[in-house]
Amino acid sequence: MIITRRTLLGAAAAIACAAAIPAFAAKPLTIGFSQVGAESEWRTANTASIKDAAKKAGVNLKFADAQQQQQNQVKAIRSFIAQRVDVIAFSPVVETGWETVLREAKNAKIPVILTDRAVKVSDPSLYVSFIGSDFVEEGRRAGRWLLDYAKKNGDKPLNIVELQGTTGAAPAIDRKNGFAEVIAANPKLKVIRSQTADFTRAKGKEVMEAFLKSEGKKINVLYAHNDDMAIGAIQAIEEAGLKPGKDIIIISIDGVKGAFEAMKAGKLNVTVECNPLLGPTLIQTAQDVVAGKPVPKRIVVNEGVFPAEVAAKELPNRKY
Ligand code: GZL
C-alpha cells in the first residue's frame, strides 16, 4: 500500500479532530415529577423514596408539589414540557382531566410515567407505564378482614361509617368499590355513612366528629381509606369518650408507622399495606424508557395486611 503525502495529511487531520472533541460525559437524565402534595405520612414516604432514588442514580429531578390541586399539576407538566425534560412522571391527584396536557407531552415526544394513582384517558398511549398498587384489591382485603371479624364475633349486625379519600382520586374510588364488593356477602354489614375526608388527619377528625354527632353509639366500625384519616378519627372517638379499637372497630389502609403505633396502643384493629416506596422502580423505568427498552404498561407493587396482633413485632421492620 503506497502512503502518499495526501494520505498522511488526511490521517493527521483526522487525529487532530478526534483529539479536539472532548469526551462528553453522558448527560444526566432529567425527570420532571409532579407530586400530589404532602397530605399524609404515606405521601411523605413516597416523596422521600422518589428523591432518594433519583439522587442515588444521579438523575436530575425537577420536583413540583401540587398541594392536592389538579391545576397545579397541569401547570407543572406544561413547565416540564417547556424545559424539555427527558421524562415526565406524576401521581395524578384525580383520575380525569388529563387528556389535553398528556397530548401536549406526547406531541413534544416526552414519555410520561404514572406513579401511585391511575388516570382515565381515551388513549392509553398517552402514558408509557403505570407503577402503583391495586386499590380495588386493597379495599377487598379490608372487607375480607371485616367478614372474618364478624364471623368470629357472633355474626351480629355491624353499622359501618366510611371515611373516603379525595373525591375523584383512584384510591378513593377503588377502595370504596373493593370494600363494598366483599362485604356484600354479609347483609348484616351496613355502611350507614360515607363521606370524603381528603386523606388528611384534620379532615378525618372533623368528619368523624360529625358521624359521632349524628349516629353516636350506633357506629360499630370505621373503615378509613388511609391511616391518616383513621388517626384523626381516633382522636375524635376518644374525645367523645369512646374507646377506639374496642367500642368502634377501625380498619384502615396504607401501613404507615403511625398506624402500627396506634395498633400497638390497641386503638386500631388492622391496616392494609399500600407500598409508597416506588422511587427505585420509577427511576429504573425512566432509564429503560430513555434507553429505548420495552417497559411493562402496568407495574403492580406487592403488599400485605397487618392486623393489630402483629403490630409490635412488625413495627421495627417498617421502612416508612
Ligand atoms: C395511595 C395514595 C394515597 C394514600 C394516601 O397510593 O395515592 O394518597 O393511601 C395518600 O395516604 O394521601
Side-chain angles (χ1 to χ4, degrees):
M1 177 211 173
I2 300 163
I3 296 181
T4 64
R5 187 174 136 75
R6 192 183 168 82
T7 316
L8 271 178
L9 276 177
I15 292 163
C17 287
I21 299 168
F24 282 107
K27 185 169 74 73
L29 187 64
T30 297
I31 299 177
F33 188 86
S34 167
Q35 179 60 293
V36 165
E39 74 283 359
S40 63
E41 270 188 67
W42 189 97
R43 191 64 56 199
T44 306
N46 179 245
T47 292
S49 172
I50 289 162
K51 288 183 173 175
D52 182 55
K55 191 156 170 253
K56 284 202 175 103
V59 162
N60 173 23
L61 182 72
K62 293 177 182 296
F63 183 90
D65 175 332
Q67 280 130 22
Q68 288 191 287
Q69 301 299 318
Q70 180 171 30
Q71 69 265 22
N72 292 342
Q73 291 201 289
V74 171
K75 241 188 288 179
I77 292 170
R78 285 197 168 121
S79 129
F80 296 148
I81 293 169
Q83 296 175 64
R84 303 287 323 144
V85 299
D86 299 307
V87 174
I88 290 171
F90 75 117
S91 169
V93 61
V94 292
E95 282 189 330
T96 56
W98 302 103
E99 297 271 348
T100 306
V101 74
L102 291 184
R103 196 157 297 289
E104 290 166 22
K106 184 174 182 182
N107 294 341
K109 298 191 176 13
I110 299 177
V112 174
I113 298 172
L114 302 180
T115 67
D116 167 27
R117 298 183 184 178
V119 295
K120 278 210 178 329
V121 287
S122 57
D123 174 3
S125 76
L126 291 176
Y127 63 89
V128 286
S129 185
F130 166 36
I131 305 162
S133 307
D134 178 344
F135 301 131
V136 177
E137 182 55 26
E138 290 172 349
R140 291 194 190 105
R141 288 175 182 164
R144 287 186 204 116
W145 185 91
L146 187 56
L147 285 182
D148 188 50
Y149 170 85
K151 220 181 286 166
K152 288 177 183 160
N153 289 274
D155 200 16
K156 51 189 186 302
L158 293 173
N159 292 322
I160 304 158
V161 292
E162 180 179 26
L163 292 174
Q164 295 181 37
T166 304
T167 304
I173 295 165
D174 293 351
R175 287 170 183 169
K176 182 171 190 333
N177 293 341
F179 182 76
E181 174 199 305
V182 165
I183 67 164
N186 180 348
K188 289 181 183 172
L189 304 184
K190 270 178 65 194
V191 176
I192 57 171
R193 298 291 301 275
S194 182
Q195 193 177 324
T196 181
D198 216 13
F199 283 130
T200 68
R201 290 191 184 198
K203 294 249 183 76
K205 181 170 190 274
E206 194 183 299
V207 176
M208 191 65 202
E209 282 165 352
F211 286 163
L212 287 162
K213 215 170 267 144
S214 65
E215 306 301 333
K217 293 213 167 38
K218 266 173 58 189
I219 302 170
N220 307 112
V221 178
L222 164 64
Y223 168 47
H225 291 183
N226 84 330
D227 295 334
D228 286 73
M229 294 188 292
I231 291 165
I234 283 169
Q235 287 168 13
I237 293 167
E238 290 180 317
E239 285 171 11
L242 297 169
K243 290 195 184 66
K246 294 171 186 60
D247 298 331
I248 296 180
I249 298 299
I250 305 179
I251 306 162
S252 79
I253 298 180
D254 275 351
V256 297
K257 271 206 183 77
F260 281 81
E261 280 147 10
M263 288 194 286
K264 219 174 133 186
K267 299 180 180 180
L268 177 70
N269 299 86
V270 59
T271 183
V272 174
E273 186 180 33
C274 175
N275 188 341
L277 307 179
L278 307 178
T281 308
L282 167 60
I283 298 303
Q284 185 58 60
T285 304
Q287 289 170 330
D288 290 348
V289 168
V290 168
K293 293 180 187 164
V295 296
K297 190 74 181 174
R298 179 76 175 90
I299 302 172
V300 183
V301 284
N302 295 323
E303 297 160 343
V305 179
F306 295 91
E309 299 76 34
V310 305
K313 185 170 68 57
E314 189 56 34
L315 181 55
N317 310 327
R318 298 303 295 167
K319 295 195 186 70
Y320 65 92

